[in-house]
Amino acid sequence: MKTHRIALIPGDGIGKSVTDAAWQVLNTAAKTSGFALEGTEFPWSCAFYKETGAMMPKDGIETLRSFDAILLGAVGWPAEVPDSVSLHGLLLPIRKAFVQYANIRPHRLLPGVQGPLKADGFDILCIRENTEGEYSGAGGRVHQGTDDEVAVETSIFTRKGVERILRFGFEQAQKRRGKLASITKSNAQKYSMVFWDEVTHKLAAEYPDVEVTSYHIDAMAARMVMAPESLDVVVASNLFGDILTDLGAAIQGGLGFAASANINPDRSAPSMFEPVHGSAPDIAHLGIANPVAAIWSGAMMLDHLGEKDAAMRVMTALETATGRGIGTVPGKDKTDTITAAVLAALA
């Protein structure tokens, strides 16, 4: 029997409960689809940081490298550890070390979920550049705490980085409805974003079957609200993609329904799958965390591992549960209730 080795990083707050829920569903799908999942759990989190002074051990990256994929819950506990520490101590190092340059987030309404818009027939795939751009971490601060303090944050855009994420976007558009929206702010950022536009225009000639449109970030934010059904694949830089995908989560009913994948497309290192929502420390003890996004992320993981039939079965079970009104309203159903409904539909 084929076995996929999965690194489990539940993280903080509700991360553990939604990861546990997703893991139950994924293992059930695996058993009935003729393969196995072997999970190894790592306690890396803000609690781990408070105990050790690091979000993960020095050899954490090398430890993860041998796995086929990583399933992550949620990381962050702002009251205890600054977000800048937790983010730069765990998530960003994993994304960069494993060249997970494509962050993929699907935005559509699951059956039974009521979004805030009049439109309900949208199906958007947002692809965010995940390893450079505005989140490169290049910069610094001098004269801290004085009137002369200066802070510099430098965005890094490489031809290699921009071209590969755009190619990835074009390829996804070819598999879907053949439309690609490239997002910049080139009217104001005349170097990095004009560069991005130029690379988009150059690559478009290689994909004549894809309809390409360039939008400014502000115009795209408005379009996602006013005409989301007009969009197919959206490709953006690290910062712009971060913002647009939270908007995408909002129009699909909230962060509790937003799944994501951090993909290494050439499969030279493991990819990582995680729900978009945070750790929600305020409700972590209540048992009402919605595991839908974590289960959806798990389905994306199965698909990436080549287990497409199992991935489809998980999504069908998830949609059956939400179609019955279970897990569609934040806080209404217990985590265990939602998980049980998905498992029942899977059976």
Side-chain angles (χ1 to χ4, degrees):
M1 181 182 293
K2 186 174 184 179
T3 300
H4 301 287
R5 296 182 64 244
I6 311 299
L8 302 172
I9 308 177
D12 300 297
I14 64 171
K16 181 169 178 55
S17 59
V18 299
T19 301
D20 286 348
W23 192 239
Q24 289 182 57
V25 172
L26 298 178
N27 272 285
T28 300
K31 290 176 183 177
T32 54
S33 297
F35 66 94
L37 296 175
E38 178 185 302
T40 301
E41 185 170 320
F42 297 94
W44 306 339
S45 60
C46 288
F48 186 84
Y49 176 86
K50 292 186 70 177
E51 292 177 5
T52 67
M55 290 296 296
M56 63 177 168
K58 289 183 179 180
D59 63 350
I61 294 297
E62 291 311 308
T63 298
L64 293 174
R65 193 176 295 277
S66 64
F67 288 87
D68 297 312
I70 304 163
L71 184 64
L72 186 142
V75 175
W77 203 286
E80 301 291 335
V81 178
D83 284 339
S84 58
V85 171
S86 58
L87 180 65
H88 286 273
L90 188 61
L91 293 183
L92 293 186
I94 292 173
R95 289 172 178 174
K96 293 177 181 179
F98 295 148
V99 200
Q100 297 170 350
Y101 67 80
N103 182 271
I104 305 173
R105 300 187 184 184
H107 300 298
R108 61 182 176 86
L109 285 171
L110 293 173
V113 176
Q114 181 68 49
L117 304 181
K118 293 180 180 178
D120 58 11
F122 57 87
D123 182 0
I124 305 169
L125 188 69
C126 275
I127 298 173
R128 162 189 170 190
E129 200 292 314
N130 211 31
T131 58
E132 56 174 49
E134 303 90 347
Y135 294 174
S136 297
R141 293 170 63 182
V142 296
H143 310 304
Q144 291 189 43
T146 74
D147 291 341
D148 297 317
E149 183 168 0
V150 177
V152 176
E153 191 91 32
T154 303
S155 299
I156 305 294
F157 289 88
T158 65
R159 181 169 292 277
K160 177 181 179 180
V162 173
E163 182 170 315
R164 69 187 180 186
I165 193 63
L166 285 167
R167 283 193 183 279
F168 187 85
F170 275 107
E171 291 165 2
Q172 297 306 305
Q174 286 179 318
K175 298 174 184 177
R176 287 169 51 93
R177 302 192 303 278
K179 296 171 66 177
L180 179 79
S182 176
I183 314 305
T184 66
K185 188 60 177 172
S186 51
N187 57 341
Q189 295 175 287
K190 63 180 182 178
Y191 301 117
S192 60
M193 295 288 95
V194 169
F195 170 57
W196 182 293
D197 281 346
E198 289 174 352
V199 176
T200 301
H201 179 73
K202 177 184 176 182
L203 291 181
E206 300 181 28
Y207 299 89
D209 54 333
V210 176
E211 177 187 339
V212 184
T213 308
S214 291
Y215 295 92
H216 290 150
I217 176 66
D218 42 358
M220 175 50 62
R223 178 168 286 271
M224 286 182 69
V225 172
M226 301 301 293
E229 69 284 350
S230 69
L231 300 169
D232 182 16
V233 176
V234 176
V235 184
S237 68
N238 215 330
L239 172 62
F240 291 167
D242 192 0
I243 294 169
L244 289 177
T245 51
D246 268 19
L247 177 55
I251 67 173
Q252 72 181 114
L255 289 171
F257 303 104
S260 79
N262 302 276
I263 298 295
N264 174 306
D266 67 12
R267 300 174 184 268
S268 59
S271 294
M272 179 168 62
F273 302 82
E274 57 174 316
V276 174
H277 62 67
S279 59
D282 57 323
I283 66 166
H285 62 293
L286 299 178
I288 58 172
N290 193 335
V292 167
I295 295 170
W296 192 342
S297 300
M300 295 175 74
M301 182 182 75
L302 294 183
D303 184 78
H304 179 75
L305 292 171
E307 306 294 351
K308 297 187 181 300
D309 178 67
M312 188 184 313
R313 290 179 58 235
V314 169
M315 285 307 300
T316 299
L318 186 61
E319 291 172 351
T320 298
T322 62
R324 294 172 178 165
I326 301 171
T328 59
V329 178
K332 181 177 76 71
D333 298 309
K334 295 285 188 178
T335 308
D336 290 346
T337 301
I338 301 169
T339 307
V342 177
L343 288 170
L346 190 59

